[in-house]
Amino acid sequence: MKSIQVGILGIGTVGSGVFNVLQRNQEEIRRRAGRGIEVTMVSRRDVAKARELVGEHAQVVADARAIIANPAIDVVVELIGGYTLARELVLEAIAAGKHVVTANKALLAVHGTEIFAAAHAKGVIVAFEAAVAGGIPIIKALREGLSGNSIQWIAGIINGTTNFILSEMRDKGLDFDVVLKEAQRLGYAEADPTFDIEGVDAAHKATLMSAIAFGIPVQFDKAYVEGITKLDAADIRYAEKLGYRIKLLGVTKRTPQGIELRVHPSLVPAKRLIANVEGAMNAVVVQADAVGTTLYYGKGAGSEPTASAVIADLVDIARLATADAEHRVPYLAFQNDKLSDLPVMPMSEVVTSYYLRLRVADQAGVLAKVTGILAAADISIDAVLQREADEVGGEGSTQTDLIILTHETREGNMNDAIAHMQALPTVLQPITRIRKEELS
Ligand code: NDP
Ligand code: HSE
């Protein structure tokens, strides 16, 4: 059978990985796909750099639209990134009847509904395995491997850059900025690294997993997003003392009230496997009714790990391109006309447990006032740790840290309780609140 002809829009970190792995493994890939997969055109504004990457093996163009306009190209692989140009190019490729593969989670989390509708109308495939957790085949697992289950919740370390930063800060005592620069050098970080450190990239990925797990439209605008920039090294240390690690988690959960969709730093019991996922590695835990708990672990970023996922999509397209559109796996796992209107819940309605750190005056009665406020808000305490004042502020200090772990409560209740505690004259600094996920 004739090889499929692929054009890569944006041959950078991921694009060059796709090109190299396809070259290296072409015979094995052909045996799997039943036909060859050939990159015949690539685009990049720096044409000399692109030429350096692909030699004479593919045509190099500066204008990505030249690839879309070429009738010989069957599949367009979008690896430019971003929301604006990428959206235009993907919609133009679909309109031209090309199948599309993309690693661009930002694009799909924000414009997925429009893109999937256009692709459905045109009968073309839009595949995006690389968009969530890089090389881990989590989209395939959720969309196909677990399709007999009712999925209950998903929790994942789905941003390699922030996990790398948290690991290096904890283990080597390195500064945030130093580790971020290293993550950029290694090709993990997004073009705009604030997307990584402010939790936006993880929220893009959580949004996609949520849509596939629960059969709802992609709704990034409803996600709660909090990154790691406000984390204090003291909280990482206190969490360790209490038997927890702090991880940036993407969580999505089905509840009777709707769907939780949130990204924030979380205390995770140190004994959980996911708490021991270090460096740029990613891991996703899925809880489903029939299979129980499953865990997916691997490289969530980097040139060839991400290329591995892009190529898996190309193999799927090579196999399925000739099948009727209605016999293909739906974009979001559920048939396109059977998506659910389950609401994504506001954060104030989410129920979880908490770690609180209060910098307080080291005086009698302070703990009683704080616990009284929590009791009045119906928030039950799980554990309390009080540091010696000398340990916190040096010899003779009159301040101390009070660390409280709570049982589950509504976030709205916790917001009220924090406001009351913050108003106490003996509470001397803004209260730190980190959510806690037992993942049991
Ligand atoms: P890079 O910045 O390394 O590559 C993007 C490439 O696009 C650059 O080489 C750039 O080259 C080219 N480009 C930019 N504008 C244009 C344009 N107008 N026309 C043609 N080419 C253009 O990004 P990555 O490879 O890291 O990421 C690509 C996508 O994959 C992003 O969506 C990212 O989120 C996603 N992703 C990345 C992962 C990773 O580990 N890096 C992992 C998972 C997903 P030039 O400036 O010369 O044009
Ligand atoms: N910037 C992303 C990360 C790349 O650090 O995980 C993979 O999506």
Side-chain angles (χ1 to χ4, degrees), residues 105 158-161 188-190 196 201 205 300-301:
K105 52 270 169 166
I158 44 179
N159 182 267
T161 302
Y188 304 147
E190 294 302 301
D196 294 297
D201 176 73
K205 294 165 181 167

Side-chain angles (χ1 to χ4, degrees), residues 380-432:
S380 152
I381 293 174
D382 180 26
V384 177
L385 175 71
Q386 182 166 352
R387 308 309 301 156
E388 293 298 329
D390 288 357
E391 256 181 78
V392 174
E395 206 178 314
S397 171
T398 55
Q399 303 183 2
T400 191
D401 277 343
L402 200 54
I403 295 105
I404 299 174
L405 299 184
T406 75
H407 289 294
E408 286 190 336
T409 186
R410 238 182 89 255
E411 175 106 352
N413 287 11
M414 182 51 82
N415 292 342
D416 293 345
I418 288 178
H420 280 104
M421 292 186 289
Q422 195 67 71
L424 293 172
T426 44
V427 173
L428 306 173
Q429 288 180 8
I431 297 171
T432 298

Side-chain angles (χ1 to χ4, degrees), residues 59-119:
Q59 187 187 346
V60 175
V61 289
D63 178 9
R65 288 189 164 88
I67 296 182
I68 296 169
N70 183 345
I73 295 289
D74 304 300
V75 186
V76 164
V77 180
E78 184 279 306
L79 296 172
I80 291 177
Y83 303 106
T84 313
L85 177 63
R87 172 181 162 273
E88 287 170 20
L89 294 173
V90 163
L91 289 172
E92 286 170 29
I94 290 169
K98 317 279 187 203
H99 301 294
V100 172
V101 176
T102 180
N104 191 337
K105 52 270 169 166
L107 173 71
L108 293 180
V110 175
H111 298 297
T113 301
E114 179 188 21
I115 288 169
F116 296 133

Side-chain angles (χ1 to χ4, degrees), residues 10-14 43-46 79 81 85 103 105 187 190 301-302 306:
I11 184 152
T13 304
V14 180
S43 80
R44 181 169 174 159
R45 289 164 305 183
D46 183 346
L79 296 172
L85 177 63
K105 52 270 169 166
E190 294 302 301
T306 312

Side-chain angles (χ1 to χ4, degrees), residues 244-318:
Y244 291 86
R245 297 260 166 90
I246 298 183
K247 295 289 181 189
L248 184 74
L249 284 190
V251 178
T252 185
K253 194 181 283 186
R254 187 201 299 267
T255 80
Q257 290 73 41
I259 302 294
E260 292 181 12
L261 176 55
R262 50 195 169 94
V263 168
H264 47 71
S266 307
L267 267 74
V268 181
K271 62 185 180 208
R272 298 265 178 270
L273 282 172
I274 196 169
N276 295 283
V277 171
E278 303 293 2
M281 302 304 278
N282 280 197
V284 181
V285 183
V286 182
Q287 179 70 33
D289 68 339
V291 70
T293 309
T294 52
L295 171 68
Y296 308 83
Y297 170 82
K299 289 189 177 157
S303 180
E304 292 205 356
T306 312
S308 161
V310 171
I311 295 170
D313 283 342
L314 289 171
V315 170
D316 270 356
I317 290 176

